[in-house]
């Protein structure tokens, strides 16, 4: 027997993206309200959890970006902001 499970967590996310030469700078802020979906049940919760993200990407043409950044998490129980640093690549599908 096979099991099919569909679950997702979602929250609002605002972002700003600026292109300078072949570089793309991205600033994001997400959180505040969280939604959860699992097997037909949807639930919304609010909280003081925010996740800022700053990143810088180098564009190779229109389809590939290579870069890195820092994502933080701000919790109401702590006065400190924790950061996670990352590097990555992004592929874009361009529809014309």
């Amino acid at each position: 027997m096979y099991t099919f499970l569909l679950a997702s967590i979602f929250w609002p996310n605002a972002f700003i993206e600026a292109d300078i030469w072949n570089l793309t700078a991205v600033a994001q802020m997400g959180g505040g309200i969280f939604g959860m979906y699992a097997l037909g049940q949807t639930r919304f919760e609010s909280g003081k959890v925010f996740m800022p993200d700053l990143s810088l990407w180098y564009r190779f043409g229109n389809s590939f970006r290579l870069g890195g950044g820092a994502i933080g998490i701000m919790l109401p129980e702590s006065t400190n902001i924790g950061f996670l640093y990352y590097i990555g690549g992004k592929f874009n599908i361009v529809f014309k």
Side-chain angles (χ1 to χ4, degrees), residues 9-26:
I9 297 174
F10 50 93
W11 64 88
N13 188 39
F15 71 94
I16 296 172
E17 187 173 295
D19 293 334
I20 305 163
W21 183 61
N22 282 343
L23 297 174
T24 300
V26 180

Side-chain angles (χ1 to χ4, degrees), residues 10-92:
F10 50 93
W11 64 88
N13 188 39
F15 71 94
I16 296 172
E17 187 173 295
D19 293 334
I20 305 163
W21 183 61
N22 282 343
L23 297 174
T24 300
V26 180
Q28 299 184 61
M29 176 61 84
I33 298 173
F34 293 86
M36 292 171 251
Y37 174 83
L39 300 175
Q41 298 176 355
T42 303
R43 186 172 75 186
F44 289 97
E45 294 183 9
S46 63
K48 296 179 182 179
V49 178
F50 291 97
M51 296 170 52
D53 182 2
L54 296 171
S55 60
L56 186 63
W57 302 89
Y58 183 82
R59 290 188 318 273
F60 296 92
N62 291 331
S63 300
F64 181 66
R65 296 178 183 182
L66 187 64
I71 187 168
I73 186 162
M74 299 169 17
L75 300 171
E77 298 87 19
S78 175
T79 57
N80 297 329
I81 300 174
F83 283 96
L84 174 66
Y85 302 99
Y86 62 89
I87 58 173
K90 293 182 179 182
F91 290 94
N92 296 326

